[in-house]
Structures are given as structure tokens and as C-alpha cells.
């Protein structure tokens, strides 16, 4: 996959570079591909490029193919000239229309050739977008059809154009995983995760996370991964943490048309806003009352610009978080936007072992910022690696206090990680900052770490000196560990 | 207190209007007062007003008083002309210098008269800023001195100038409460909470919350309350939820001088930024690399402008949250910026009963977005008010499922609120959105609600039908309640 290179990881999130040879550009990821409607442009592609820094956009080749007005100009002038955009252009194939209207009148071969002819940089076969919750049989049948088309797509002469391999499989994780493995096997270039829009529309972020995690298991570290139809900045951090690299947004324009205002904490109706909770150029220069009283077109454009500013701002925030090694802290913050986002975050942490595989070993800081933090991959990794240490003797003290020479060896203990050799106390993640008002879950997970260490050393006798741990944590410590309360002892 | 009017509450947070008669303006609160140094202006006051919408600023009369260069012009031309600012101007008295250098050479009478002479709109007596953690005796002595000065201040002829009554008392909550009560008793106009900067510098947000809550108990609903020296947008929501109305920031300029970049999730060093995690006009128009290579003065001004944009943006976000009734959801999100902010939030919820007193009865939605949500004032209020309902019979069913006519009455049960008459199911806060992956704490608090209802009706027999509640919740249900699992029953 020489067209995509990962520069750094945080959890399964990654800063990457997608080389798009036909456009002669390299696109930094994660990134947003604004959806440009060939017929109606709320914000001109040239403006997306110059004002918002768009390096890539997406448009629909099926609409162009079916347009008496635009088909010929698209072929003659090429997409870049037609849209006035010099970055990379990805084209969709009509699969969305297939899902909406039940049939379309092109084949994968036809539409890929058309995409090539109009100068698309990344083309898309006609896959079958299987909706969530369908019976397994339908999901299997349709995925097989999609896979056949992907294989046919590899035989179409598309020159330097990259070609996507959409991953379907409905809400059946094992089918998603298989579909992803087969898609990766085609050698195609970009992996859109398809038919997830209904999950997002219904705020099913928990199911979305399970679907994406399954697809990622099948894809391995191949990429880039495109979360098709994901355009709300509220969930970019969550999706990025799973290893999604490309988002596409029609939301900035569609929402603007309905007076909807995007924020990283959700969606607001313009009518409900007395103040703009934002510092973008639109919101620093206008008051909501003034925007409400504008002409429809002006208001729509202004809201679309706000929506784009907040969307690209969140892309930068996600990138900086990956770079700074605090993407999971960002996910933790964004999870507070809506209870269903919290469900998504809690589900993400079910996949901690999967995130751990690529998570980098050392970062600047681990901030324990919620009850959920105790389930982060760094904690899991620390406890998994307890089997790497020898213990120097039969009597071992695990303590939140100081060393004691009555024991053969003293280890530290810290929530949520549990026991650690004292020599590691200044290394990541044991340098974690944890609230003084530590939550019960952090103690319980620390107790699980104690239990793991104790189980690894059946012949060693352990004493745990803890600082007033709650009963629910102490219950998880094996019976053979002697317990002492730090303050009771003094 | 006719110069301050509250328009709406959320928790103890309030949207208010401060009328400043001498300036002839009304200032909307919560708001920020940028600190303007009379000698060095990183961003000109006229720019603060025109570009950032500053309605009020704060400057130091003691510096002007001691300046051979500026004292006479200040008296002759007046502060508004000197600073070129038409909004309200508050002046500090030199108390900060007193705290830093141990003595100053003016009395309260002298400095208040000087403030009046230079045209200040809100003047400040010379109080004694007692630092945190001092012995009780010192805190008492100094608070008594401060109070004497406040009383002397009431006798100075200050015309239409408003005069502040700073509240001291170190980190002794009872002294803070008494100081606040006495300050309120003077009839002065604005209530700065003093000497909290050391707490903020040391990230002691838990202690800060306890101090502010104590002051607010003493002040009652008087206002406006000024959290003196609070200029980091990360904690505006937290402080606003306690009922702070005015913040002041030198941070925007001081931080800019050190290449520090403010965000609502903390502070970043410019050197650590590869991407600007922000959508303000500065961050949409510049890349970090380009800003790093600028001349010092240009870089400082640009960073100061970013810092101001994000600071005023957060003020608008807080105001919109109060208006929308979701201030606590905002606090919940902001608490994820740093573990010590989480400590502050958890401490805030210790004061849920105090927040409940002013919290409005109905809002659009209650979003359960964290383990902490179960401790919100709305939950407390619901459980407190269980004593308002009669039960129609001796056999009452509390259930997460449907009604059952075998019982005299059926109530619903929902985490985290607990039991409720079914007629209330469509009213706030029972319309709460709770994650499907409900946390243990939410069930436990619901169980506490069941316990309260059961205790209120010793002669009634209760059955609780729950949907797989965890053991830690069921333990909190009184023994005499019959328990059934919803799914075990079906």
C-alpha cells in the first residue's frame, strides 16, 4: 500500500499521508472531503481550497453521468477544470442512489471508466450498501456481490486513478471483518466503510464503533480508511481513534440549508441560539439575531462557512491530538456531547486490546479524566506486561506508601494501573495524572492488576498496602494477599 | 442590588445584566474583563471593544497613581480618554501589589478618591489578600481589617462610581462565608472573590470550588460576583455554574508573551503545536510554523488575539449554555481537560443542594453524559420531592417495565432518578437521555431514590422490578422491598 504512509499512531488513530498520483498531490490525514454537488455549490470548491485549506473533495460521478447538461463538459474539460479545484478529487459511483432508489443504470465497469474519463483521482465501483440490521443471509449475498464487483474493478484500465474497495456487511461484525479482509485482498487503494449513515442518523454510535472495529480487524493496518458519510465533527475524534482517516461531509451544506449549526458537542438550531458558542471568523463577526434576519441565500452561505470552519478546526484538533499523544483525552471530552456518544466511547473501550496493538509506547502524559479512563489501552498494556518482570524473593510488598526492607522486594501500586516495579515510576504511563478524588473504577482496575501479578507468581507471598481502597476494589484482590490500610498502619 | 439583574439561572449560573451608571452602559454577564496594563498594551482597548466586543475592562489604579508619567494625564483626561475605551472601566486598588510586595503607600480613602478622580466606573478598596492555607487566626485578623476598610469605603464620596467589596478568608470555608455575608452587608456593589489566584496557579480546582461555594453561601443571590484573577477559559463554565459573573484576564497577554496558547481544554506551548486546534480568525489564517518564525512582537500580538478569541468564544459558549439550560453538560465536557478539573467538577457536585436552590425547574433536556451526572442537582431535587406525592394503596409496584393491575399503584423507575409517578414521565428531568450502557453509579443513585420513597411510606409494601441492576445498586434497596428482575420474570 505504497500510496498511504502512517507517520504516527495514537491508539488506533494515525497521522498519515495519502499520495494521489493522478492529482500529483499528497493529502494529509485524517482529513475531511467536503461533498460538492456538481449542480449546486453552497461554497465554491476554489473557496474550499483557498479559505479552508481543502486538499481533497468528493463529488458524485453518477450525477454527472446522468446529467445532459454536465456529462459532456465533464468529459471534455475534466473535473478539476469543471469544479475549479486543483487538489485531489474523489468520485462516488451511484451506490447511494442505488440504496435510495433501488436501482441504477450503470455497471462498475461503465462508471469506473466514466470516472477515469472525467479525470477523477480516486474512483469508486458500484457496491451494494447493505443497511444495518438486515438478516445475515442478505448481508452475505450482498457482500459477495460487492466483492465480485471489486474484483472486476481491478481489471478495469484506470491508469493512475486510485480505486476504492468499499466494505459492507451490515451490522454483522464477522461479515464486516471478512468483507474488509477480502477488500484488502483486492489490492485496491482506499477503503470506504459503507452504509454506516443510518447508524449515525440514529445516533447508534455504539453499533457504529463495533462495525468500524470489525472492519479494521479485517483491514489490518491497510489504509486509508474512509468512514463514508461521516461529516459531523462531534464524532471525528471517536472515529479517528479507531483508525478512520477520511471523512466526508455534505452536512456543512445540508445543515446550513435547514438553519442547523454544527458544534463539536452536537447540533444547534439557529433559532435556539442567543450567542454563537464558537470563535470562528463567522461567529466573531456576526450575532445570531443579525444572521437570522439575513436573506436565505446569505444566511445559508454564512452557516455553511461556520459549519466548515468548525469541521476543519476539529480535523486540526484531532491531528494535533494524535501528534501530541492525547487523542483518547479528546475522545473522552467529546463523549460528553451526547449520551449516545458516551455509549460510543464506552464501546470503543471494549476494543482496548485492538487499540493497544498500534498505540505508541510512550507519550507525554496520561490524563485520567473520567471513570472511563481506567479502561484505556495503556492500562490494559501495563497489566498484560506484568509477565515480563521477575520478582526478587518470596515476600513482596505492593504499596501506595514507601519501601519496606522487611520485604524481599517492594513494588509501587497506583490506580488505575495497579502494581509496578518502582524503577518504572517515572516512565509513561505511570507518570499519569489522576484526580485526587479517584473514582472507584480506577481502584477496581488497579486491584485487577494486583490479581494478575499475584496469579503470575503462585509461590510468592504478597502484602498490599493501600490508601483506603473501596470494598468493591478490595474484593477483587485474591484472598491470599495480606491487606493493610496505609493510614491504619501509621 | 438594583444595579444587577439576573435574567435566567442554570444551576447557580446566571445570565445577568450589570448596570454601570457612571459609564452609562449595561454589561451582560457572565463576561470577561480584559486586564489592560496602562503602560503596555498588547492589544489596544479600542480593538478589544471593536473586534472582540469587550463591554468592560479592568486596569490598575495603583500603577497609575504611582506613575509620574501617567498620573496627571489620567486625572486630567480621564481613564476612558487615556485608554481610548468607551465601555465600563473597573479599577483595581493595589491589593495585588500589597500581596506581592508586602506594603503599598495608599489608603482605601486615598485610592478610592483617586479612582473617582480618574473617572473609574467601578472602584476597589485596599483589601488584604490572605493567601490560601494560612492559619485561621491570620485569616480572621486580615478579614476583619478588610471588612473595616469596606465599611470605610462606604463613607467615601464616590458619586455614581460603583465600589467593590472583596471577599477574603483564605481557604477556610466558614470564614469565606462570614466574610461574604459581611461584605454583602455593606451595601457595596460588586463582590470580587479575592486571593484565589494561588489556587488556580496550583490547579487546586477542588479547593477553589469549595472557596467559591462558601462565598456564595454568604452572598446569597447578591451580585455580581467577580472571580478575581480567573482568566483561563478552561474553567469559566465551572466557575459560572457556581454563580460567578465576572472574570478578568491578563492571561491572554501574559501567556502570549511566553508563547503559550489557550484552549478550553488547557494550555499548549506554541512549540508543541503542529496544527492549531482552533477555528478562530488567527488559527484559520495561519499555520503554527509560520507563526513561530514571526518577529517577537508580531507573534505575541497574534497569540494574544488567539487567546482573546478563544476566551470570548468560551464566554459566549457559557452564556448560550445557561440560556439553553445545559451549563452542567458543558461543565461535564470541560472537566475532561485535566484531572484537576475533574476534581473541581466532582467537588462542585458536593454542592448539588446549593446549586439546586436556584436551578430552574424545567429545561429542554437532561443529558446523562458521565458517571458524575448522577450527582447533579436535578437528581437530588427529584429525590427530595418524593415527599410531595401520595400513594394510592398498600401495594405499590416500582418498575422499569409496564404497569401491572395486580398492584394498587404502579410507578416508573429510571436511573439515575429512581422512582416517579408515571404521570411525570414526559416532564423534565425524567425525559433525560441516558446512555444504553448505563453506569453503575446511575443505578445506585436510582436505588437511593427507591430507598427514600420506601422510608417515606413505612406502611406500604413495595415491589421493585428492575432491568438487571448491579449488586451494588440492589444492596442499597431496603430489605423489605421485594425484588424482581424484569427479564427473569418474562
Amino acid at each position: 500500500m505504497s500510496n498511504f504512509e502512517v507517520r504516527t499512531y495514537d491508539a488506533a488513530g494515525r497521522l498519515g499521508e495519502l499520495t494521489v498520483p493522478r492529482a500529483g498531490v499528497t493529502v494529509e490525514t485524517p482529513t475531511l472531503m467536503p461533498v460538492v454537488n456538481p449542480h449546486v455549490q453552497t461554497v465554491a470548491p476554489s473557496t474550499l481550497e483557498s479559505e479552508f485549506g481543502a486538499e481533497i473533495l468528493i463529488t458524485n460521478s453518477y450525477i454527472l453521468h446522468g446529467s445532459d447538461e454536465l456529462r459532456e463538459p465533464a468529459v471534455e474539460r475534466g473535473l478539476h477544470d469543471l469544479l475549479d479545484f486543483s487538489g485531489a478529487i474523489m468520485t462516488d459511483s451511484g451506490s447511494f442512489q442505488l440504496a435510495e432508489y433501488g436501482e441504477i443504470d450503470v455497471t462498475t465497469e461503465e462508471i469506473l471508466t466514466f470516472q477515469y474519463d472525467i479525470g477523477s483521482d480516486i474512483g469508486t465501483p458500484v457496491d451494494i450498501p447493505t443497511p444495518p440490521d438486515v438478516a445475515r443471509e442478505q448481508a452475505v449475498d450482498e457482500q459477495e456481490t460487492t466483492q465480485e464487483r471489486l474484483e472486476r474493478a481491478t481489471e478495469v484500465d484506470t491508469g493512475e486513478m486510485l480505486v476504492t474497495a468499499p466494505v459492507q456487511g451490515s451490522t454483522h461484525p464477522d461479515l464486516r471483518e471478512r468483507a474488509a479482509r477480502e477488500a484488502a485482498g483486492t489490492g485496491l487503494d482506499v477503503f470506504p466503510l459503507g452504509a454506516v449513515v443510518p447508524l449515525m442518523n440514529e445516533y447508534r454510535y455504539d453499533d457504529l464503533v463495533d462495525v468500524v472495529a470489525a472492519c479494521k480487524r479485517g483491514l489490518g493496518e491497510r489504509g486509508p480508511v474512509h468512514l463514508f458519510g461521516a461529516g459531523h465533527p462531534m464524532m471525528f475524534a471517536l472515529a479517528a481513534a479507531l483508525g478512520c482517516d477520511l471523512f466526508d461531509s455534505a452536512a456543512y451544506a445540508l445543515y446550513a440549508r435547514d438553519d442547523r449549526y454544527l458544534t463539536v458537542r452536537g447540533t444547534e438550531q439557529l433559532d435556539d441560539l442567543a450567542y454563537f458558542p464558537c470563535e470562528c471568523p463567522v461567529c466573531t463577526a456576526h450575532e445570531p439575531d443579525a444572521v437570522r434576519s439575513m436573506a436565505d441565500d446569505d444566511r445559508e452561505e454564512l452557516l455553511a462557512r461556520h459549519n466548515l470552519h468548525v469541521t476543519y478546526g476539529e480535523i486540526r484538533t484531532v491531528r494535533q491530538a494524535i501528534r501530541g499523544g492525547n487523542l483518547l483525552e479528546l475522545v473522552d471530552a467529546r463523549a460528553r456531547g451526547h449520551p449516545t456518544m458516551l455509549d460510543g466511547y464506552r464501546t470503543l473501550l471494549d476494543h482496548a486490546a485492538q487499540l493497544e496493538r498500534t498505540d505508541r509506547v510512550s507519550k507525554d502524559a496520561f490524563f485520567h479524566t473520567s471513570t472511563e479512563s481506567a479502561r484505556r489501552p495503556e492500562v490494559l498494556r501495563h497489566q498484560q506486561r506484568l509477565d515480563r518482570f521477575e520478582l526478587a524473593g518470596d515476600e513482596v510488598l505492593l504499596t501506595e506508601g514507601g519501601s519496606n526492607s522487611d520485604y524481599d522486594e517492594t513494588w509501587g501500586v497506583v490506580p488505575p494501573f495497579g502494581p509496578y516495579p518502582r524503577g518504572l515510576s517515572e516512565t509513561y504511563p505511570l507518570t499519569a495524572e489522576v484526580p485526587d478524588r479517584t473514582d472507584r473504577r480506577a481502584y477496581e482496575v488497579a486491584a485487577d492488576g494486583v490479581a494478575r501479578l499475584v496469579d503470575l507468581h503462585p509461590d510468592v507471598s504478597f502484602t498490599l498496602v493501600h490508601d483506603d481502597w473501596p470494598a468493591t476494589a478490595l474484593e477483587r484482590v485474591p484472598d491470599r494477599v495480606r491487606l493493610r490500610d496505609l493510614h491504619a498502619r501509621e
Side-chain angles (χ1 to χ4, degrees), chain A:
Chain A
M1 310 315 292
S2 61
N3 69 313
F4 182 66
E5 206 168 316
V6 172
R7 281 158 44 200
T8 189
Y9 278 100
D10 190 7
R14 48 204 192 175
L15 274 183
E17 283 179 353
L18 168 63
T19 302
V20 186
R22 202 173 188 203
V25 299
T26 296
V27 173
E28 202 166 0
T29 62
T31 198
L32 175 82
M33 306 187 288
V35 175
V36 170
N37 180 327
H39 289 290
V40 192
Q41 289 159 22
T42 316
V43 178
S46 60
T47 304
L48 293 172
E49 189 162 8
S50 61
E51 281 186 33
F52 296 92
E55 295 185 324
I56 183 169
L57 59 74
I58 183 168
T59 191
N60 193 318
S61 70
Y62 183 72
I63 291 179
L64 288 165
H65 187 263
S67 164
D68 290 339
E69 189 190 334
L70 290 176
R71 189 175 50 243
E72 287 309 315
V75 174
E76 274 164 33
R77 292 164 52 195
L79 268 184
H80 290 81
D81 184 60
L82 188 76
L83 297 179
D84 189 15
F85 185 77
S86 74
I89 298 180
M90 175 169 167
T91 42
D92 194 3
S93 62
S95 298
F96 175 78
Q97 284 71 17
L98 181 64
E100 290 286 297
Y101 310 116
E103 60 176 335
I104 57 173
D105 57 6
V106 294
T107 65
T108 284
E109 288 83 347
E110 284 164 356
I111 199 73
L112 270 181
T113 301
F114 179 70
Q115 291 174 77
Y116 179 74
D117 289 344
I118 60 177
S120 173
D121 302 308
I122 308 175
T124 304
V126 182
D127 61 321
I128 315 284
T130 311
D133 313 317
V134 303
R136 187 177 181 82
E137 195 171 60
Q138 179 188 345
V140 169
D141 281 355
E142 294 183 355
Q143 187 268 324
E144 285 170 359
T145 304
T146 291
Q147 181 61 22
E148 284 162 25
R149 294 181 183 179
L150 298 190
E151 282 160 17
R152 293 217 304 274
T154 62
E155 286 156 26
V156 179
D157 181 10
T158 51
E160 280 195 315
M161 181 171 82
L162 302 180
V163 175
T164 72
V167 178
Q168 298 291 346
S170 184
T171 33
H172 300 280
D174 61 320
L175 295 186
R176 284 280 187 177
E177 184 173 341
R178 186 179 87 188
R181 193 172 301 112
E182 292 180 5
T186 59
L188 292 172
D189 308 293
V190 174
F191 302 94
L193 312 186
V196 293
V197 167
L199 297 177
M200 296 187 284
N201 286 345
E202 294 170 22
Y203 285 73
R204 290 168 60 181
Y205 295 110
D206 44 2
D207 293 329
L208 177 70
V209 165
D210 282 334
V211 161
V212 174
C215 293
K216 288 288 297 189
R217 284 194 298 278
L219 289 171
E221 282 316 303
R222 238 170 276 241
V225 175
H226 170 201
L227 193 62
F228 221 124
H232 200 304
M234 174 168 71
M235 42 78 73
F236 288 172
L238 179 69
L242 282 160
C244 295
D245 309 297
L246 299 171
F247 305 103
D248 65 275
S249 179
Y252 74 96
L254 296 177
Y255 281 42
R257 208 160 298 159
D258 297 338
D259 284 342
R260 283 184 290 169
Y261 176 101
L262 295 175
T263 85
V264 295
R265 299 177 53 240
T267 308
E268 301 278 354
Q269 283 288 340
L270 176 61
D271 275 349
D272 294 335
L273 293 178
Y275 312 89
F276 281 137
C278 175
E279 46 271 357
C280 85
V282 170
C283 296
T284 49
H286 300 86
E287 304 265 356
D289 268 345
V291 175
R292 272 189 285 273
S293 64
M294 286 179 173
D296 286 356
D297 282 1
D298 295 343
R299 192 174 70 247
E300 182 181 331
E301 193 196 329
L302 217 56
L303 287 176
R305 281 172 178 266
H306 157 79
N307 288 344
L308 281 167
H309 278 303
V310 73
T311 301
Y312 277 106
E314 185 67 356
I315 290 289
R316 289 192 299 274
T317 301
V318 167
R319 287 183 187 171
Q320 178 59 35
I322 296 173
R323 173 101 166 200
N326 48 45
L327 179 59
L328 290 176
E329 280 86 349
L330 181 65
V331 175
D332 197 311
R334 295 299 183 244
R336 316 303 156 174
H338 195 275
T340 56
M341 283 288 301
L342 180 55
D343 274 327
Y345 178 39
R346 289 176 173 170
T347 306
L348 176 77
L349 295 170
D350 291 348
H351 301 285
Q354 186 173 333
L355 304 186
E356 188 275 330
R357 268 175 235 144
T358 50
D359 195 25
R360 63 190 200 257
V361 174
S362 186
K363 308 178 195 172
D364 274 353
F366 177 109
F367 281 177
H368 187 101
T369 49
S370 70
T371 305
E372 287 74 30
S373 298
R375 296 179 63 217
R376 281 177 49 169
E378 295 92 334
V379 179
L380 184 72
R381 173 184 288 164
H382 173 77
Q383 297 193 350
Q384 281 173 344
R385 295 190 175 182
L386 288 172
D387 61 8
R388 301 188 174 190
F389 301 99
E390 300 289 320
L391 293 177
D394 297 335
E395 290 281 341
V396 171
L397 176 67
L398 312 176
T399 179
E400 292 194 279
S403 278
N404 185 328
S405 58
D406 293 350
Y407 294 84
D408 296 324
E409 183 160 358
T410 302
W411 277 33
V413 179
V414 64
F417 300 97
Y420 63 93
R422 293 175 87 85
L424 294 185
S425 65
E426 297 305 313
T427 61
Y428 187 87
L430 297 162
T431 48
E433 296 209 40
V434 177
D436 288 340
R437 301 172 64 116
T438 310
D439 36 275
R440 188 168 39 157
R441 178 69 67 196
Y443 290 111
E444 290 165 1
V445 172
D448 291 342
V450 170
R452 172 152 163 81
L453 183 71
V454 168
D455 289 347
L456 285 167
H457 300 277
D459 301 328
V460 174
S461 163
F462 288 92
T463 300
L464 171 65
V465 177
H466 64 91
D467 187 359
D468 197 24
W469 285 17
T472 53
L474 294 175
E475 279 165 12
R476 298 161 96 119
V477 175
D479 287 342
R480 71 185 185 85
V481 176
R482 267 168 303 180
L483 296 175
R484 288 204 200 137
D485 191 288
L486 185 60
H487 293 291
R489 203 174 60 138
E490 285 165 353

